[in-house]
Amino acid sequence: MSKDQAEKGTRLVGVDEISRHRLLDDLWLVINGIVYDFSQFVQEHPGGSAVIAQYAGRDATDAYNEVHSPNLVKTVLPPSSHIGVLDTATATEEWAKNPLRASGPPQKKQEKPPLGSLINARDFEIAAEASFTPKAWAFVSSAATDCLTKERNGSMYSQIALRPRILRDVGNVDISTTMLGQRIRAPIFCAPTSMGKIFYPEGERELGRGCQRLGIPQCVSTSCSYSLPEVMDAVEDEQKSVSSNEAVPVFFQLYVDKDRRKSEKLLRMVKERGVKAIFLTIDAPVIGKREADERVKSDESLRAPMSGASAKNDKKGGALGRLMGNFIDASMTWEDISWLRRQVPGLPIVLKGIQTAMDAVKAMEVGVDAIYITNHGGRSLDTAPATILVLLELQKNCPQVFDKMEVYIDGGITRGTDIFKALCLGARAVGIGRGFLFALNYGKEGVEQFINILVDELVTTMQMCGITGLDQVHPGLLHTGAIDHLVAGSEEHPYAKWRLKLSKL
């Protein structure tokens, strides 16, 4: 930066001067106390010019911070666009008022119940439904088409019975374990989720803080509302604040970009920041139809900094997943695993999205470090099998995979008993997505309470079943007879035969 630019960037700028720059070709905004010239960028804004124009000559801080990370504007605009610092002494109450937003959903203002009144995971969901904005609720709660897979993910757990063992010494219980060689305090991790900022201002940064405090890994998504360095900075600062000598691992979930160069650049940065594994998403080559999310318009100023995707609305609706997932490469095949290995040598690779025994065996054969049974929370393909059925399918058809790879699972897990059942059937750890976003409604304190509730329930279940460590879980502690008939067998259908039908022209 030149001397003139440095002086320009530090000078005080009054409201009268800022207010004179309100045209598209001469447009200033105030963001977090800094005055910026948006004249050259307004027409290039991925969310359109209208959302910027409505704040022309005014303070856009609140609107900006709802959907963007604080550092984004500094990287998008050149130094020459930094005009100076807002002279707060000149700011009037009238000028500081935010104008009505031209786009985006109405804000729901219902008061949340006190955090102390929430005693189970369902309570967090009820609080979120009452207090999230309509768009935030539609995004987090929606699933593909008729939402059958989403419902079955959870209901299948209720049909598995526990077989308690008695008169065992269960006074001391240890639920610590490892994921990919990394020590964690409980067999739970925060599954990768998108756009955390629409639920809480600090979004995934706050999720990371809460997880770090309780020794739970966080898996950061490519569609995170903050850049990975911003999340890692928050996590590392939190570790220092709690004086912990144990760094809790952070993992990274990758959506591969159609432009592989973008993914390669992203992976270089991921490796540099100390991420401990790559979770490659394979169950969403395209985005499923999420009707509840389509029905509510998107805020077109939303942008994911790592993917570069922006929200918009079209004739199909306003689903954030569909509209912001166009960058995903639908042409990926098994051969691309070797490409990924070359980008992150030495880092473990996890395939996220296994839904059949056949693909679990294939993953074992290509030598990945772990597989992750998931159907994207029912958000990708409706009537895909509930994830616990897939875990049983692996036990039935390819039990050898449990000896070669770690196996993770998510989908419908809301109780400590659910976690226990997954562990008994061979899962190393369970991921939770929506539940953490519901907890994020209360910041890191909510995340901590959510984790503690599940941990307490898991410990109680283990004690009731007569065990004190995760090395003692086994299938004999469960009765799965109510759902065994739903577990798939071989790749072939038991009686329907496929016949090639040639059309007659």
Side-chain angles (χ1 to χ4, degrees), residues 61-70 136 194-205 223-226 302-303 437 440:
T61 298
D62 290 344
Y64 172 90
N65 285 338
E66 283 180 13
V67 293
H68 295 310
S69 64
S194 303
M195 307 312 298
K197 201 168 171 54
I198 68 175
F199 309 107
Y200 190 83
E202 282 285 283
E204 293 84 356
R205 285 165 53 86
S223 297
C224 177
S225 52
Y226 284 91
L302 281 170
R303 184 173 181 267
L437 294 180
L440 184 59

Side-chain angles (χ1 to χ4, degrees), residues 378-401:
R379 293 162 75 83
S380 287
L381 178 64
D382 203 19
T383 70
T387 51
I388 195 67
L389 291 179
V390 178
L391 189 59
L392 282 164
E393 181 182 338
L394 268 57
Q395 289 283 7
K396 179 179 180 180
N397 298 296
C398 55
Q400 68 274 21
V401 303

